[in-house]
């Protein structure tokens, strides 16, 4: 089974900051990684698929990159509506989520 | 508009069974793989089960294999999750999700149904 190690577990940022979240897979996942945003009491929302492809409606301040085992997700110019938890998902071999990152306002 | 509506959650005693349902609309249900994903209170997301378009292939993580069974009725555009031998650690919100395509990401999600396993 593929394990996904996501860091950091929590992140504190000011409005306008750039933040970065990383996910490391236990093996090469061939760029088959997606990123989700989840707000309290709501279902997850797909933001990015296949490492860096923005889903329709995802603001351009969100971005993703990586290859092999190592991937990152960034938000430039954090806005108040971005306060949420974020999860990576590998879908190269079955499906595994990272542990999540809670983004809070400083 | 894609809609996924879960039902069937509730309070159940350890060792008992429960069956969840998901009613799908807004797309051709029989064309897509479907899945269940759960989230324990204050915890992260965990994939629970996936089923192929015809229902002939199913996939589970080790944590639920042998206890949970995913199934579908394409004529009714409905997805199911039969959960047996429930444990306290199965307490979670269970989300119905539609895959984007075979073996791909989860593109759409329902709002979830809460299952509480407690005596």
């Amino acid at each position: 089974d593929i394990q996904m190690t996501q860091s950091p577990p929590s992140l504190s940022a000011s409005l306008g900051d750039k933040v970065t979240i990383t996910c490391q897979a236990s093996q090469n996942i061939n760029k088959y990684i997606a990123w989700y945003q989840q707000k309290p009491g709501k279902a997850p929302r797909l933001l990015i698929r296949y490492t860096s492809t923005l889903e329709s409606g995802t603001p351009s301040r969100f971005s993703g990159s990586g290859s092999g085992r190592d991937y990152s997700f960034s938000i430039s110019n954090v806005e108040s509506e971005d306060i949420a938890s974020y999860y990576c998902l590998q879908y190269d071999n079955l499906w595994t989520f990272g542990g999540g990152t809670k983004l809070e306002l400083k | 508009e894609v809609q996924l509506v879960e039902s069937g959650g509730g309070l159940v005693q350890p060792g008992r069974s429960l069956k969840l349902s998901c009613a799908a609309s807004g797309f051709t249900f029989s064309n897509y793989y479907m899945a269940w994903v759960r989230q324990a209170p204050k915890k992260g997301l965990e994939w629970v089960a996936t089923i192929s378009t015809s229902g002939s292939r199913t996939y589970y993580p080790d944590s639920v294999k042998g206890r949970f069974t995913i199934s579908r009725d394409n004529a009714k555009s409905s997805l199911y999750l039969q959960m047996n031998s429930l444990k306290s650690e199965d307490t979670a919100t269970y989300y119905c999700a539609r895959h984007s395509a075979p073996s791909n990401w989860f593109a759409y999600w329902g709002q979830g149904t809460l299952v509480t396993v407690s005596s």
Side-chain angles (χ1 to χ4, degrees):
Chain A
D1 293 4
I2 297 176
Q3 309 303 316
M4 298 296 287
T5 302
Q6 183 172 343
S7 62
S10 64
L11 198 49
S12 184
S14 300
L15 297 178
D17 280 356
K18 178 177 180 178
V19 299
T20 298
I21 298 167
T22 64
C23 268
Q24 183 176 68
S26 57
Q27 64 188 65
N28 179 10
I29 56 171
N30 300 298
K31 295 193 171 186
Y32 291 121
I33 188 169
W35 293 90
Y36 294 84
Q37 177 191 67
Q38 187 182 33
K39 296 184 177 180
K42 299 293 187 182
R45 169 197 172 195
L46 175 67
L47 297 177
I48 290 174
R49 54 187 166 88
Y50 195 57
T51 296
S52 59
T53 302
L54 268 60
E55 188 68 0
S56 176
T58 300
S60 59
R61 64 181 180 274
F62 293 92
S63 64
S65 65
S67 63
R69 294 176 56 206
D70 298 307
Y71 298 85
S72 63
F73 167 86
S74 295
I75 311 172
S76 61
N77 299 315
V78 167
E79 298 188 6
S80 57
E81 65 184 34
D82 301 334
I83 301 309
S85 293
Y86 293 87
Y87 295 89
C88 63
L89 166 74
Q90 73 79 20
Y91 54 95
D92 180 63
N93 185 344
L94 298 182
W95 300 270
T96 314
F97 288 95
T101 297
K102 186 174 184 179
L103 176 60
E104 298 173 316
L105 269 181
K106 193 179 291 182
Chain B
E1 179 193 4
V2 172
Q3 287 201 338
L4 301 168
V5 180
E6 303 93 338
S7 61
L11 176 63
V12 60
Q13 293 179 328
R16 304 297 291 264
S17 299
L18 195 66
K19 187 173 185 177
L20 305 182
S21 299
C22 171
S25 61
F27 63 101
T28 304
F29 182 75
S30 57
N31 286 353
Y32 291 90
Y33 276 41
M34 297 294 296
W36 291 96
V37 176
R38 70 183 179 184
Q39 185 170 37
K42 308 287 189 186
K43 298 295 185 182
L45 300 167
E46 180 186 18
W47 164 69
V48 169
T50 284
I51 188 167
S52 64
T53 51
S54 66
S56 61
R57 285 169 289 177
T58 57
Y59 308 86
Y60 307 93
D62 289 343
S63 58
V64 306
K65 196 176 294 182
R67 297 190 302 124
F68 289 11
T69 302
I70 188 172
S71 61
R72 65 191 296 161
D73 185 335
N74 286 341
K76 294 183 177 180
S77 295
S78 293
L79 179 72
Y80 307 101
L81 184 68
Q82 177 69 45
M83 303 184 292
N84 298 332
S85 303
L86 282 162
K87 307 174 183 180
S88 58
E89 52 262 43
D90 295 318
T91 293
T93 295
Y94 285 74
Y95 294 101
C96 169
R98 195 199 86 178
H99 282 273
S100 59
S103 300
N104 278 354
W105 59 90
F106 307 114
Y108 295 94
W109 301 65
Q111 285 307 301
T113 187
L114 178 61
V115 172
T116 302
V117 183
S118 175
S119 55

